[in-house]
Amino acid sequence: MKIGEICTREVVVAEKTLTLPQVAHLMREYHVGSVVVVEDAPEGRVPVGIVTDRDIVIAVVGKDVAAQNIAVWEIMGPRLLSVGEDDSVLDAISIMRHEGVRRLPVLVSKGPAKGTLAGIATLDDALEIVAEQLNDLASVVSRERSREEKIRR
């Protein structure tokens, strides 16, 4: 299964010049734990970073720093990890596990908009898919028993 099939397409985004209170307001308004930082390009929005509620707590609240004048680009990570919408769910899970991240921007994989923001994949999205697949596997056992009972009667 491709990550583009399960990712959330409606992504809360912020320009990198927004202040942390503005970004926190977006998180509260849209009930999300992260905002993808973007730059506008002719092809569309290009992700340049991601900021999570945890980033704000650790970088600002945890250091007792006034957030009013801090721009979001000042606390976003130095390297943005992402996946293409044609990458597999397993590839996305592997990146999350290896890099210790819970969210990955999903990029358009083909065409003139290649490299622009298509969505966001989260650990929750991946867990939901894995749980469904485990449930499907578990149902094989009960169906096998039922099938044997019908055949062996």
Side-chain angles (χ1 to χ4, degrees):
M1 177 178 287
K2 295 179 181 180
I3 196 68
E5 295 173 41
I6 68 159
C7 72
T8 301
R9 296 290 178 156
E10 294 179 17
V11 182
V12 180
V13 299
E15 297 292 324
K16 64 183 181 180
T17 56
L18 285 184
T19 64
L20 293 184
Q22 291 170 314
V23 170
H25 178 76
L26 286 173
M27 289 178 179
R28 179 181 167 94
E29 181 179 348
Y30 293 101
H31 308 286
V32 295
S34 66
V35 172
V36 177
V37 182
V38 296
E39 289 181 346
D40 287 326
E43 307 81 31
R45 292 179 164 163
V46 178
V48 294
I50 190 167
V51 172
T52 67
D53 45 9
R54 180 177 170 86
D55 293 331
I56 294 172
V57 168
I58 291 171
V60 178
V61 179
K63 291 185 175 182
D64 200 25
V65 174
Q68 304 308 329
N69 297 321
I70 297 176
V72 70
W73 67 267
E74 294 180 71
I75 69 161
M76 66 185 197
R79 180 175 70 119
L80 178 66
L81 299 167
S82 62
V83 290
E85 60 189 343
D86 290 335
D87 290 342
S88 74
V89 171
L90 292 177
D91 288 338
I93 291 170
S94 178
I95 291 169
M96 288 179 190
R97 180 177 48 96
H98 184 261
E99 299 290 340
V101 297
R102 294 172 166 247
R103 300 165 182 96
L104 291 171
V106 178
L107 308 181
V108 174
S109 296
K110 299 175 187 156
K114 183 177 180 177
T116 61
L117 186 63
I120 189 163
T122 67
L123 179 63
D124 292 350
D125 297 329
L127 285 172
E128 189 174 322
I129 294 302
V130 170
E132 286 176 13
Q133 291 178 343
L134 286 173
N135 189 45
D136 290 346
L137 285 171
S139 69
V140 169
V141 174
S142 64
R143 288 193 178 131
E144 181 183 41
R145 287 183 193 143
S146 175
R147 182 178 163 272
E148 277 187 23
E149 287 175 2
K150 288 177 185 176
I151 292 172
R152 305 283 183 231
R153 286 187 182 177

